[in-house]
Amino acid sequence: MRLGARALLFSAALLGPLEAADPYLPIRQRMVREQIEARGISDPAVLRALMETPRHWFVPPAARDLAYEDHALPIGYGATISQPFVVAWMTQVLAAGSNHRVLEIGTGSGYQAAVLARLVKHVYTIEIVPDLAKSALERLRELGYENVTVREGDGYRGWPEHAPFDRIILTAAPPSIPQALIDQLVPGGRMVAPVGDSFGQELVVVEKAKDGSVRKKSIGSVMFVPMRPGRE
Ligand code: SAH
């Protein structure tokens, strides 16, 4: 009994106060095991990032108990928080390093940005819906993420002031890869993007070689909300 209590305290100290008091921790552990690891995601850093990101704070309050289910969830304004497996898969394929600066297009809830924030130096993320940009920013601040910068704007233009980026991830689907984003990728950089329309999309990996040449490869089918054209 005493030993048990001590083991509990010890693990609480290891996990930190947030996770120690988190009633969703066992559900999140099961999500990572059964939905992510079981489907072949094996990068330990990616698995850890998913384990450490409290997805239930990124969904609308009424959907909190569904946060760790195996599907996307609506977050308002026609946007969705992606299925956990898709977040893990894209994060693994992005292969971002701890010194990387990453651009995300389509902040939505801020969940994908939060997962990336645990793996990289800085995440810059752009959201076209003002209310979503504002609530994601507030949520990330409240949860203590300091290496994420959120901006309302049109992702088609990228973020020239902070370019070039080591990695770029799109979580809304354009009909083809925007040239401005290819231009804002470092030589040797990589971009992961769903490409297509609301009837069908491919997940495309774009690699920019050191000499600036670009190679694209489709790695599977996905379904994201289409990227909205900018207003200008
Ligand atoms: N990454 C998000 C999920 C994104 S859903 C998450 O983890 O929750 C796709 C998001 O892309 C939506 O919020 C949508 O408003 C946004 N979006 C659509 N078109 C855009 C554009 N042109 N520029 C920036 N964001 C866009």
Side-chain angles (χ1 to χ4, degrees), residues 110-195:
Y111 177 68
Q112 172 74 72
V115 168
L116 284 168
R118 300 207 171 253
L119 297 165
V120 306
K121 187 163 174 205
H122 202 97
V123 182
Y124 297 88
T125 178
I126 305 177
E127 169 56 54
I128 205 165
V129 177
D131 283 352
L132 286 175
K134 186 166 172 283
S135 56
L137 174 64
E138 286 169 4
R139 178 176 297 122
L140 291 162
R141 285 289 157 275
E142 271 166 28
L143 292 171
Y145 290 89
E146 284 173 2
N147 60 340
V148 183
T149 310
V150 183
R151 175 162 82 80
E152 175 204 327
D154 174 17
Y156 276 104
R157 308 164 112 222
W159 199 330
E161 296 82 358
H162 291 292
F165 300 97
D166 301 289
R167 297 288 187 264
I168 300 179
I169 180 170
L170 277 68
T171 60
S176 62
I177 304 274
Q179 185 59 41
L181 299 183
I182 294 178
D183 293 344
Q184 290 177 28
L185 199 56
V186 296
R190 178 184 288 215
M191 173 166 19
V192 177
V195 176

Side-chain angles (χ1 to χ4, degrees), residues 63-116:
R64 209 138 275 165
D65 285 344
L66 303 175
Y68 297 97
E69 301 276 310
D70 193 13
H71 49 73
L73 285 167
I75 55 170
Y77 306 91
T80 57
I81 177 172
S82 310
Q83 181 190 10
F85 170 72
V86 172
V87 172
W89 181 33
M90 287 174 74
T91 305
Q92 178 165 279
V93 170
L94 198 63
S98 56
N99 60 341
H100 280 170
R101 298 163 64 256
V102 178
L103 174 66
E104 180 195 29
I105 307 300
T107 314
S109 69
Y111 177 68
Q112 172 74 72
V115 168
L116 284 168

